[in-house]
Amino acid sequence: MANPTAFVLTHESNPDRTSRTNSLKALAITRSLGRRGIPVIRLHPNRLELSLLSRYCTATEICPNTYGDESELLEFLLELGKRHEGPLVLFPASDDTAYFLGRHLDALSGTFRIPAASRATIEQIIDKRVQYGEAQKLDIPIPETYFPTDMAEVRKLAQEISGYPYVIKPNVAHKWRLSWVQQKLKSTKGTPMKGVMVQSADELLAEYEKISQGDTDVMIQEVIGGGDELLYTFLGYLDKNSKPLGYCVRSKLRQYPLKFGYCTLTVSCHNQKVVDQSIQLLQGMNYHGIVGVEYKHDPKTDRYKLIEINARAVNTSAIAPACGVDLPYIAYRDSIDQPLPPVTEWKDDVKWIWLTQDAFAAREMNRMGKMSLRQWLRSIKGRRVHAIFAGDDLKPVVYYLAAFLSQNVPKVLSHIWRRGILRSS
């Protein structure tokens, strides 16, 4: 008997995009399920999405975008379900699609099995103001955080707070991934980030004024001391009763951009405090689905402070199957009423690396005198899984490298030309 079909849904943050990008989350889910012989149909609004090229995609469907008329996407999914025999399992692979599925869970649950948070839960998570409030009710530590509504409040706050630096971050994280918001962020620091760090009251006012042109719904948060290695993430899956059926922990090693960027190197580890806090938090919010909960260990207080809850698979999700906890498969089996025994042990020291981006991070650290080439090569040694490269699934790799080289080689040549290296040869 054939395995029931899985569908992996992603959105398009830039509807006018003509260059290739890659959903690491969707690629990890697709490979996890496809390697086990499960048919996977990828749903995305743009054919240029690289994860659609995976050999483990049984089929692809170009679907309406979450940023259009949501009724179109809802109707598309319901019609799609009629063309396939059930049970059908539908995975969200982005914040936007997790939010969409949570809002339309009742309408879709007659057609799909959806391992994702309910509307009530997702609305507690998507808004950081609410998320942090719920965490505090459950005695989960959070960083010192403020939610100003306008420039007047920021001016007042700038004079009251001390102990800079602070960071300006979006209250609704996926807003800053939209192309028009990214343009505003590029005008502040040159590269889109998860947050913009400020070192003084004057810098806080100046950066807020720029950022507010794209998004006024932001938070201002303390920067917890210590390096990236103090950032821990609980990766797990909880069933409809919020029982954890599988989980592991990873520690971030590097990110790019260096401050408040996206993870480029991480390693599996054990941390019981992170596990206990995460389960307490997620069960208190009646969570269902794959999840990533990030904390930073505050060396001053020895507490693990909640940074964010990601109500879906995260970019580094491929580390979980690599260290022995195959979260997409665990979620899939639970969704078709064939749950596996809980998986609560995993291998330490398994690394996940996004090699091209990690090379950029290492280059920046080298310029700052913090890392040599030898140190970088040593840091990426060991058992590892790659964000994009996979020996059994090369097509996304080839197209990714082609896009990467076409975007970056001209920049390198331009830099060399400006320095006069080519002209003097």
Side-chain angles (χ1 to χ4, degrees), residues 5-9 30 38-44 47 51-62 80 83-84:
T5 301
F7 298 79
V8 181
L9 176 64
T30 299
I38 297 163
V40 179
I41 296 179
R42 276 287 284 114
L43 312 175
H44 189 78
R47 290 195 183 277
S51 63
L52 302 181
L53 299 173
S54 171
R55 64 174 288 201
Y56 294 111
C57 287
T58 308
T60 60
E61 294 275 355
I62 303 305
L80 181 66
R83 307 204 311 259
H84 298 270

Side-chain angles (χ1 to χ4, degrees), residues 356-412:
T356 52
Q357 299 304 104
D358 196 55
F360 284 142
R363 180 191 63 181
E364 293 300 311
M365 294 178 72
N366 178 263
R367 289 174 176 173
M368 299 164 64
K370 293 183 176 180
M371 176 169 285
S372 66
L373 175 61
R374 180 173 293 183
Q375 287 172 324
W376 178 59
L377 292 173
R378 190 183 303 123
S379 73
I380 65 176
K381 276 186 175 181
R383 181 177 177 181
R384 63 186 181 271
V385 61
H386 289 259
I388 299 170
F389 176 78
D392 62 341
D393 192 21
L394 289 174
K395 198 171 182 181
V397 183
V398 172
Y399 277 81
Y400 173 79
L401 288 176
F404 176 82
L405 291 173
S406 68
Q407 292 169 14
N408 288 281
V409 168
K411 295 178 185 177
V412 172

Side-chain angles (χ1 to χ4, degrees), residues 89-92 98 101-102 105 109 112-122 124-125 236-245 279 281-292 309-313 330-337:
V89 184
L90 177 57
F91 287 87
L101 293 179
L105 207 55
S109 59
F112 296 96
R113 314 284 183 90
I114 304 177
S118 67
R119 179 171 190 154
T121 301
I122 201 72
Q124 289 179 321
I125 291 172
Y237 170 74
L238 286 79
D239 68 11
K240 289 182 179 179
N241 297 314
S242 296
K243 177 184 176 182
L245 296 187
I279 293 174
L281 175 63
L282 296 168
Q283 289 183 335
M285 301 176 82
N286 300 311
Y287 190 86
H288 172 218
I290 296 174
V291 68
I309 304 171
N310 293 293
R312 36 72 181 169
I330 292 169
Y332 171 86
R333 285 287 299 267
D334 184 51
S335 298
I336 61 171
D337 302 321

